[in-house]
Amino acid sequence: MDRPRHFTLRFSCPDRVGIVSRVASFFADNGGWILRSSQHSDEDSQRFFMRVEVRADSLDFHLSELRRRFEPVGRELDMDWQISDSAVKKRVVLLVSKQMHCLYDLLERWQSRELDIEIPCVISNHADARGLVEWHGLRFHHVPITKDNKPEAWAEIERLFTESGGETMVLARFMQILPADLCDRHPGRILNIHHSFLPSFVGAQPYLQAYQRGVKQVGATCHYVTPELDQGPIIDQDVTRVDHGDTVRDLVRYGKDIEKAVLARGLRHHLEDRVLISGRRTVVL
Amino acid sequence: MDRPRHFTLRFSCPDRVGIVSRVASFFADNGGWILRSSQHSDEDSQRFFMRVEVRADSLDFHLSELRRRFEPVGRELDMDWQISDSAVKKRVVLLVSKQMHCLYDLLERWQSRELDIEIPCVISNHADARGLVEWHGLRFHHVPITKDNKPEAWAEIERLFTESGGETMVLARFMQILPADLCDRHPGRILNIHHSFLPSFVGAQPYLQAYQRGVKQVGATCHYVTPELDQGPIIDQDVTRVDHGDTVRDLVRYGKDIEKAVLARGLRHHLEDRVLISGRRTVVL
Amino acid sequence: MDRPRHFTLRFSCPDRVGIVSRVASFFADNGGWILRSSQHSDEDSQRFFMRVEVRADSLDFHLSELRRRFEPVGRELDMDWQISDSAVKKRVVLLVSKQMHCLYDLLERWQSRELDIEIPCVISNHADARGLVEWHGLRFHHVPITKDNKPEAWAEIERLFTESGGETMVLARFMQILPADLCDRHPGRILNIHHSFLPSFVGAQPYLQAYQRGVKQVGATCHYVTPELDQGPIIDQDVTRVDHGDTVRDLVRYGKDIEKAVLARGLRHHLEDRVLISGRRTVVL
Amino acid sequence: MDRPRHFTLRFSCPDRVGIVSRVASFFADNGGWILRSSQHSDEDSQRFFMRVEVRADSLDFHLSELRRRFEPVGRELDMDWQISDSAVKKRVVLLVSKQMHCLYDLLERWQSRELDIEIPCVISNHADARGLVEWHGLRFHHVPITKDNKPEAWAEIERLFTESGGETMVLARFMQILPADLCDRHPGRILNIHHSFLPSFVGAQPYLQAYQRGVKQVGATCHYVTPELDQGPIIDQDVTRVDHGDTVRDLVRYGKDIEKAVLARGLRHHLEDRVLISGRRTVVL
């Protein structure tokens, strides 16, 4: 059974007495049935983070009216707030290179409606994924990236993302470094899966680095992309056990399973509007 | 830095619109600074569960006055509610047999104040633990249990528990089955650590059962004790990997580490008033 | 870099002094370079299990000659033995129903050559998977199973398996119970992924059972199929954490990730000739 | 039931054809019953590592004679080899500071004979642990370390270690950095538990570093101590999940459980002569 249609409010604001009361009263006064609610007070930044799901059919007005009515509350409490509608599918653009395990994994979740999203297109710097993507009835764009065409290629990718109405960009093992200005233009909207347990093994060939250091677990990290390589806020991460008998090739293979699971989990949290950014950290409500 | 003194309200009640608002407004009207709040709507039972921590120094009255003021809210919403004070240490009685790994573990957490509790006494059906317990300055009661003296022995244990002001009884690898009527008299107050991943391997020698079945992970389960053996609501559980080369003895050894960690985690959740019982399940807020 | 071509000997035999010496000397006398070797003495059954990988290019004769030369050793030590060649791809037939997460997952591993196997065909009691399978250039057989046609349907499935040269049958979330006689005819050759942490929650709807019991972890188990439902020797299993807020639907979703990973790991162990059956248990060398 | 008395041979040597055969034949010729055997070929260094357990009562001579007979084999194959006797308890000196969770944990394992070792003494730069240690009937040495007395204090610690016949030194949350020359004098004999998942968060206050980076798992690492801080070969490591709601204090608390388990596991591997050092990596047979 599917969950009922709901609106999701999320916000952060300076912490003070009475925030929950103000928000809860707002919904109660409008007859709103709260399905889920969670919150977090950050002691360092003195900010308060909250996420509330309200049944759409418990309100007798539409989303735009909800936003209009909530606006004074947001202003009063100096909130950074958003409200989304579970009936509106998020638009997610996937970027891949040659390795396709994350792509296969996301496509299966999409076709089985585990991930209830629109995929306006898949973009790649290689042509390998075209067949699979198009077989799924999705658009595929091949944008080769070379030493000499980086600015043009990235401009083209950003144009495809924007023109297709993309809201979230997922680097599903996309083996290219994004230009800093592109990262800056889409804060909190670009997710990457890095194939190490950050902050260990930043940069290239993390499994080789892990092998050489002789670690006994390898991992993967899903994080928001920021201009500094592999330094963005972490959404989720996980590890798996390895031993001395495993070659770099084995680590790569074990890592694939962690990468798939962690990217899918991080993406789902993001799409459910659970992830709020707090400096270098994330609050996952 | 320690957390500030706080009062913890927890309750369950029939679900309806406006509960959070009512509770949050109550605290806001009294100037209460909410440190943490979490909640859960159970779709099956249509009940609502909530836990709220309020800074004690944000209210200008005492716990008894807080309870008096909250009473009408509880009645109005048909709540089953309690409020506790973080400054009042919970009184926890430990029952052990011959194996002492959980006892050592809990004593270390107590002496380092990781577990900020009173231990009015430790009770055992064997004398082995006396020295360690008394070295820690705690009272030790040896109550031998034989085939022939069970009713008397259990009456003595219950008397010791009650007269020492015990609120929570922890079976820290206590290898005796509790009488059903004793379980019934202390619902939600007796915790056990069972040395298997329930519901697998109920009853005696779970590690031997696990070995014979050839499982690839063994586990432990912390649960409330109810009259039916190993059937009470589960608070926490965990597992660890084993392989064909491990003997029953090895499984027992690996299991000890899981038992210690799971019992300590479950006990902590219980002591922080995070655990609410919902039929055969627990809600851990 | 790929691993060099190798022959894999695996055997079990009654335990006694000198087995390793006899086997190692056999290879040394023939110039065989041992890449990997592992072994296990089972104390209960007094049997010895061993697996040895030898570089093919270190021997100056072929597999058939290796088998001929080893035959007296096997007879002398009363071995149950087999030798396989890493250059010969195993033939694996997949059976699926409507859920396709394991199928997607295995197809990706096959196309990326992580699993270096032949898939002579995919068989399903539903038509849903046809498109995906055929897009990959693989044969798809739709064999509907109804209350009334079970014997015929199963005869057809077994015929397709046998005629396509299938060596291993993988039930990749195939939601039908196999006839006992079919299981008996293919011991140690049929793998299933059961969507619970066996022996908990045998049979139908394990996630619903898990939800109702209120467990704090759910799991999946890869095992050989035997005539008794969900009782076969376990190859691998794993779990993931859940909490009170997770619905049955959530457990199903988390479970999918565990199912994929555990099935792939168990299948890989099987295909690498690492798994020897010892009564109800497996030895994974 | 205890394991039978056994001799454990471990060695590394240049890889070549026939090593296993040579070693296995040696034991077979002497009637040796091999209980366990495991091995590893390191492709990078072209070295071969092996560990063999032989039942003591299957040989009709003593350990010294075994060593004498094995000596030519070791020379022939250019081995770095050792043979130990399970009936001879290893002598382990513990160093602790103020935090006692690892000390409690190791003492419980020692008193229950899970760790079958001698503890000739416990050394600390603080007096806090004296009571607990002495209650267990063990010697305690308080060696204060200040800015001004480091060379003398370390000389004293090394003297106590050596004079008490210590073979292994365990830094069980000992919050002082060892002098490089002391590390150099005892290679592969000093174990540390570092409270992070190395190579992340080297040095001081790793949990604070982890909190600030916003990781979603924290860990601990058991490694051999070498002159470079936190860079020695890793024996074992593990992690546990944390979230945005956890304070540094919570991370410290979760970390304690991981530290205890990882140190105990790493120490056990070391004491069972399973750990061979291969450059910056360990081979755990």
Side-chain angles (χ1 to χ4, degrees):
Chain A
M1 205 191 63
D2 276 310
R3 300 195 60 213
R5 180 178 174 188
H6 52 272
F7 302 130
T8 302
L9 164 71
R10 62 168 181 170
F11 66 84
S12 70
C13 65
D15 207 352
R16 41 157 282 192
V17 169
I19 302 171
V20 177
S21 167
R22 190 71 192 84
V23 171
S25 302
F26 170 82
F27 284 114
D29 294 347
N30 287 289
W33 179 284
I34 293 177
L35 288 168
R36 292 188 187 179
S37 168
S38 50
Q39 58 194 72
H40 172 63
S41 298
D42 188 67
E43 288 177 39
D44 296 340
S45 64
Q46 304 273 32
R47 281 186 79 79
F48 182 83
F49 300 81
M50 190 169 188
R51 178 184 183 275
V52 184
E53 289 181 3
V54 187
R55 275 189 82 119
D57 61 10
S58 68
L59 302 173
D60 52 8
F61 45 80
H62 290 298
L63 178 59
S64 54
E65 175 64 11
L66 174 59
R67 285 181 178 138
R68 202 187 60 74
R69 293 193 190 191
F70 191 75
E71 211 281 327
V73 181
R75 206 172 336 109
E76 178 190 327
L77 294 173
D78 197 13
M79 284 178 184
D80 180 2
W81 65 275
Q82 288 170 279
I83 302 177
S84 65
D85 179 352
S86 70
V88 176
K89 295 186 183 186
K90 304 273 173 69
R91 297 177 71 80
V92 180
V93 169
L94 308 180
L95 271 69
V96 298
S97 291
K98 287 187 160 236
Q99 289 198 61
M100 280 190 264
H101 53 285
C102 288
L103 178 64
Y104 263 84
D105 191 73
L106 293 173
L107 288 175
E108 187 281 323
R109 293 178 203 264
W110 167 80
Q111 71 83 25
S112 68
R113 301 198 42 204
E114 179 194 313
L115 277 182
D116 202 19
I117 56 174
E118 298 283 344
I119 302 177
C121 63
V122 176
I123 303 172
S124 180
N125 56 330
H126 296 279
D128 307 53
R130 179 185 297 278
L132 182 73
V133 169
E134 292 183 348
W135 181 83
H136 280 86
L138 298 172
R139 300 193 66 175
F140 179 84
H141 301 290
H142 180 201
V143 182
I145 303 183
T146 66
K147 257 185 311 191
D148 303 321
N149 79 342
K150 285 195 196 238
E152 297 77 18
W154 278 110
E156 173 68 0
I157 289 172
E158 190 170 11
R159 191 187 62 75
L160 290 166
F161 174 64
T162 307
E163 292 190 356
S164 67
E167 295 161 307
T168 296
M169 187 189 291
V170 174
L171 311 182
R173 296 303 311 276
F174 186 66
M175 307 306 284
Q176 294 285 333
I177 296 172
L178 273 65
D181 60 325
L182 190 148
C183 301
D184 276 333
R185 276 192 297 276
H186 305 279
R189 296 175 67 193
I190 308 176
L191 279 76
N192 184 41
I193 180 74
H194 182 73
H195 39 317
S196 85
F197 187 75
L198 289 175
S200 292
F201 312 130
V202 164
Q205 296 196 277
Y207 292 120
L208 177 60
Q209 294 182 54
Y211 175 84
Q212 289 170 338
R213 180 60 187 91
V215 293
K216 298 298 184 186
Q217 309 228 9
V218 293
T221 303
C222 178
H223 65 96
Y224 287 114
V225 174
T226 58
E228 292 166 285
L229 184 64
D230 299 331
Q231 300 294 317
I234 294 170
I235 305 172
D236 202 2
Q237 50 188 176
D238 213 341
V239 297
T240 194
R241 184 161 280 273
V242 299
D243 72 26
H244 60 265
D246 294 310
T247 61
V248 177
R249 202 181 158 84
D250 292 322
L251 303 197
V252 168
R253 180 162 57 78
Y254 298 148
K256 283 171 64 176
D257 282 354
I258 304 294
E259 294 163 23
K260 289 185 291 189
V262 169
L263 175 57
R265 225 153 57 198
L267 177 57
R268 187 179 182 94
H269 291 326
H270 170 83
L271 294 171
E272 292 179 340
D273 297 308
R274 296 188 180 281
V275 191
L276 291 97
I277 296 176
S278 173
R280 283 191 76 193
R281 313 177 72 230
T282 60
V283 174
V284 182
L285 295 174
Chain B
M1 204 191 65
D2 276 308
R3 301 194 60 213
R5 180 177 175 188
H6 51 273
F7 301 131
T8 302
L9 165 71
R10 63 170 181 170
F11 66 84
S12 71
C13 65
D15 208 351
R16 41 157 284 193
V17 168
I19 301 171
V20 178
S21 167
R22 189 72 191 82
V23 171
S25 301
F26 169 81
F27 285 114
D29 293 348
N30 287 289
W33 179 284
I34 294 178
L35 287 168
R36 292 190 188 178
S37 168
S38 50
Q39 58 193 73
H40 171 64
S41 299
D42 187 67
E43 288 177 36
D44 296 340
S45 64
Q46 303 273 34
R47 281 187 79 79
F48 182 83
F49 301 81
M50 190 168 185
R51 177 183 183 278
V52 184
E53 288 181 3
V54 187
R55 275 188 82 121
D57 61 10
S58 68
L59 302 173
D60 52 9
F61 44 81
H62 290 298
L63 179 58
S64 54
E65 175 65 12
L66 174 60
R67 285 183 177 136
R68 201 187 62 73
R69 293 192 191 192
F70 191 74
E71 209 284 325
V73 181
R75 203 173 337 111
E76 177 190 326
L77 294 173
D78 198 14
M79 284 178 183
D80 181 3
W81 65 276
Q82 289 171 278
I83 302 177
S84 65
D85 179 351
S86 70
V88 176
K89 293 187 184 188
K90 303 274 174 67
R91 295 178 71 80
V92 181
V93 170
L94 308 181
L95 272 68
V96 299
S97 292
K98 288 185 159 238
Q99 289 197 59
M100 281 190 264
H101 53 285
C102 288
L103 178 64
Y104 263 83
D105 191 72
L106 292 174
L107 288 176
E108 186 281 323
R109 294 178 203 265
W110 167 79
Q111 71 81 25
S112 69
R113 300 198 43 205
E114 179 195 312
L115 277 181
D116 201 18
I117 56 174
E118 297 284 345
I119 302 179
C121 62
V122 176
I123 303 171
S124 179
N125 55 332
H126 296 280
D128 307 52
R130 180 184 297 277
L132 182 72
V133 170
E134 292 183 348
W135 181 82
H136 280 85
L138 299 173
R139 299 194 65 175
F140 179 82
H141 301 290
H142 178 202
V143 182
I145 303 182
T146 66
K147 258 185 312 190
D148 302 322
N149 78 341
K150 285 195 196 238
E152 297 77 18
W154 279 110
E156 173 69 0
I157 289 171
E158 191 171 7
R159 190 185 64 75
L160 290 166
F161 174 63
T162 307
E163 292 189 358
S164 68
E167 295 161 308
T168 295
M169 187 189 290
V170 173
L171 311 182
R173 294 305 309 277
F174 186 66
M175 307 307 281
Q176 296 284 333
I177 296 173
L178 273 66
D181 60 325
L182 189 147
C183 300
D184 276 334
R185 275 194 296 278
H186 305 280
R189 296 175 65 193
I190 308 176
L191 278 77
N192 184 42
I193 180 73
H194 182 72
H195 39 317
S196 84
F197 188 77
L198 290 175
S200 292
F201 313 130
V202 164
Q205 295 195 279
Y207 292 120
L208 177 60
Q209 294 182 54
Y211 175 83
Q212 289 170 338
R213 181 58 188 93
V215 294
K216 298 298 185 186
Q217 310 228 6
V218 294
T221 304
C222 178
H223 64 95
Y224 287 116
V225 174
T226 58
E228 292 167 284
L229 184 64
D230 299 333
Q231 300 294 316
I234 294 168
I235 305 171
D236 202 1
Q237 50 189 177
D238 211 340
V239 296
T240 193
R241 183 162 282 271
V242 299
D243 73 27
H244 61 265
D246 294 311
T247 62
V248 177
R249 201 181 160 82
D250 292 323
L251 302 197
V252 167
R253 181 162 56 77
Y254 298 149
K256 283 170 63 175
D257 283 354
I258 304 294
E259 293 163 24
K260 289 186 291 189
V262 169
L263 175 56
R265 222 152 59 195
L267 177 58
R268 188 178 181 93
H269 290 327
H270 170 83
L271 294 171
E272 292 179 340
D273 297 307
R274 297 187 180 283
V275 191
L276 293 96
I277 296 177
S278 174
R280 283 189 77 193
R281 315 176 74 229
T282 59
V283 174
V284 183
L285 293 175
Chain C
M1 204 191 65
D2 277 310
R3 301 193 60 215
R5 180 178 174 185
H6 52 273
F7 301 130
T8 303
L9 164 71
R10 62 169 182 170
F11 66 84
S12 69
C13 66
D15 207 352
R16 41 157 284 194
V17 168
I19 301 172
V20 177
S21 167
R22 189 72 192 83
V23 172
S25 302
F26 170 82
F27 285 113
D29 293 347
N30 286 290
W33 179 284
I34 294 179
L35 288 168
R36 293 190 187 177
S37 168
S38 49
Q39 58 193 74
H40 172 65
S41 299
D42 188 68
E43 290 177 34
D44 296 340
S45 64
Q46 304 272 35
R47 281 186 80 79
F48 182 83
F49 301 81
M50 190 168 185
R51 177 184 184 276
V52 184
E53 288 181 4
V54 187
R55 276 189 81 122
D57 61 10
S58 68
L59 303 172
D60 53 7
F61 44 81
H62 291 296
L63 178 58
S64 53
E65 176 64 12
L66 174 59
R67 285 182 177 135
R68 201 186 63 72
R69 294 193 187 189
F70 190 75
E71 211 282 326
V73 181
R75 202 169 342 106
E76 175 190 328
L77 295 173
D78 197 15
M79 286 180 182
D80 181 3
W81 65 275
Q82 287 170 281
I83 301 176
S84 65
D85 179 351
S86 69
V88 176
K89 294 187 184 188
K90 304 274 174 67
R91 298 177 69 79
V92 181
V93 170
L94 309 180
L95 272 69
V96 298
S97 291
K98 287 186 158 238
Q99 289 197 60
M100 279 188 265
H101 53 285
C102 287
L103 178 64
Y104 263 84
D105 191 72
L106 293 173
L107 289 176
E108 187 281 324
R109 294 177 203 264
W110 167 79
Q111 71 82 26
S112 68
R113 300 197 43 206
E114 178 195 312
L115 278 180
D116 202 18
I117 56 175
E118 296 284 343
I119 302 178
C121 62
V122 176
I123 304 171
S124 179
N125 56 332
H126 296 279
D128 308 52
R130 180 184 296 278
L132 182 72
V133 170
E134 293 183 350
W135 181 81
H136 281 85
L138 299 172
R139 299 193 67 176
F140 179 84
H141 300 290
H142 179 201
V143 182
I145 303 183
T146 66
K147 261 186 309 197
D148 303 323
N149 79 341
K150 287 195 195 236
E152 297 78 16
W154 279 109
E156 172 69 2
I157 289 171
E158 192 171 8
R159 191 186 61 75
L160 290 166
F161 174 65
T162 307
E163 292 190 358
S164 67
E167 295 161 309
T168 296
M169 187 188 294
V170 174
L171 311 182
R173 293 305 308 277
F174 186 66
M175 307 306 283
Q176 296 283 333
I177 296 172
L178 271 66
D181 60 325
L182 188 147
C183 300
D184 276 334
R185 275 193 297 277
H186 304 281
R189 296 175 66 192
I190 309 177
L191 279 76
N192 184 41
I193 179 73
H194 181 73
H195 38 318
S196 83
F197 187 75
L198 289 175
S200 293
F201 313 130
V202 164
Q205 295 197 279
Y207 291 121
L208 178 59
Q209 294 181 56
Y211 175 84
Q212 289 171 338
R213 181 59 187 92
V215 294
K216 299 299 185 186
Q217 308 230 9
V218 294
T221 304
C222 178
H223 64 96
Y224 286 115
V225 175
T226 58
E228 291 167 285
L229 183 64
D230 299 333
Q231 300 295 317
I234 293 169
I235 306 171
D236 201 3
Q237 49 189 177
D238 212 340
V239 297
T240 194
R241 184 161 279 273
V242 298
D243 72 26
H244 61 265
D246 293 312
T247 62
V248 178
R249 202 182 159 83
D250 292 324
L251 303 196
V252 168
R253 179 162 57 77
Y254 298 148
K256 285 169 63 176
D257 282 353
I258 305 294
E259 294 163 23
K260 289 186 292 190
V262 169
L263 175 56
R265 224 151 57 195
L267 177 57
R268 187 178 183 93
H269 291 326
H270 170 83
L271 294 170
E272 291 179 342
D273 297 306
R274 298 187 180 282
V275 191
L276 292 97
I277 295 176
S278 173
R280 283 191 78 194
R281 313 177 73 231
T282 59
V283 174
V284 183
L285 294 174
Chain D
M1 205 191 64
D2 276 309
R3 302 194 61 213
R5 179 178 175 186
H6 52 272
F7 302 131
T8 302
L9 164 70
R10 61 171 182 168
F11 66 85
S12 70
C13 66
D15 207 352
R16 42 157 281 195
V17 169
I19 301 171
V20 177
S21 167
R22 190 71 191 83
V23 172
S25 303
F26 169 82
F27 285 113
D29 294 347
N30 287 289
W33 179 283
I34 294 178
L35 289 167
R36 293 188 187 177
S37 167
S38 50
Q39 58 193 76
H40 171 66
S41 299
D42 188 68
E43 289 177 37
D44 296 340
S45 63
Q46 304 273 34
R47 281 185 81 78
F48 182 83
F49 300 81
M50 191 168 186
R51 177 184 184 276
V52 184
E53 289 180 3
V54 187
R55 275 188 82 121
D57 61 11
S58 68
L59 302 173
D60 52 9
F61 45 80
H62 291 298
L63 179 58
S64 55
E65 174 66 11
L66 174 59
R67 285 183 177 135
R68 201 189 60 76
R69 294 193 189 191
F70 190 75
E71 210 282 326
V73 182
R75 203 169 342 107
E76 175 190 330
L77 294 173
D78 196 14
M79 286 180 182
D80 181 2
W81 66 275
Q82 289 170 279
I83 302 178
S84 65
D85 179 351
S86 70
V88 176
K89 294 187 186 188
K90 303 275 174 67
R91 298 178 69 80
V92 180
V93 170
L94 309 181
L95 273 68
V96 298
S97 292
K98 290 188 157 233
Q99 289 197 60
M100 280 189 264
H101 54 284
C102 287
L103 178 64
Y104 262 83
D105 192 72
L106 292 173
L107 288 175
E108 187 282 322
R109 294 178 203 264
W110 168 78
Q111 71 82 25
S112 68
R113 300 196 43 203
E114 180 195 313
L115 278 181
D116 203 18
I117 56 175
E118 297 284 344
I119 302 179
C121 63
V122 177
I123 303 171
S124 180
N125 54 332
H126 297 279
D128 308 52
R130 179 184 296 278
L132 182 73
V133 170
E134 292 183 348
W135 181 82
H136 281 86
L138 299 173
R139 299 193 66 175
F140 179 84
H141 300 290
H142 179 201
V143 182
I145 303 183
T146 64
K147 261 184 308 190
D148 303 320
N149 79 342
K150 283 192 198 242
E152 298 76 17
W154 278 109
E156 172 70 0
I157 289 171
E158 191 171 9
R159 191 186 62 77
L160 290 166
F161 173 66
T162 307
E163 293 190 357
S164 67
E167 295 161 309
T168 296
M169 187 189 292
V170 174
L171 311 183
R173 295 306 310 277
F174 186 65
M175 307 307 282
Q176 295 284 334
I177 296 173
L178 273 65
D181 60 324
L182 189 148
C183 302
D184 276 334
R185 276 193 296 276
H186 305 278
R189 296 175 66 193
I190 308 176
L191 279 76
N192 183 42
I193 179 72
H194 182 72
H195 39 317
S196 84
F197 187 79
L198 289 175
S200 292
F201 312 130
V202 164
Q205 296 197 279
Y207 292 120
L208 177 61
Q209 294 182 55
Y211 175 85
Q212 288 171 338
R213 181 58 187 93
V215 294
K216 299 299 185 184
Q217 311 227 9
V218 293
T221 304
C222 178
H223 64 97
Y224 287 114
V225 174
T226 57
E228 292 166 285
L229 183 65
D230 300 331
Q231 300 295 316
I234 294 170
I235 305 172
D236 201 2
Q237 50 188 176
D238 212 341
V239 296
T240 193
R241 183 163 281 274
V242 298
D243 72 26
H244 61 265
D246 295 311
T247 61
V248 177
R249 202 181 158 85
D250 292 323
L251 303 197
V252 168
R253 180 163 55 78
Y254 298 148
K256 284 170 62 177
D257 283 354
I258 304 294
E259 293 162 24
K260 289 186 291 191
V262 169
L263 175 57
R265 225 153 56 197
L267 176 58
R268 188 179 181 92
H269 291 327
H270 171 83
L271 294 171
E272 292 179 342
D273 297 308
R274 297 187 180 284
V275 191
L276 293 96
I277 295 176
S278 174
R280 282 191 76 194
R281 312 177 73 230
T282 60
V283 174
V284 183
L285 294 174

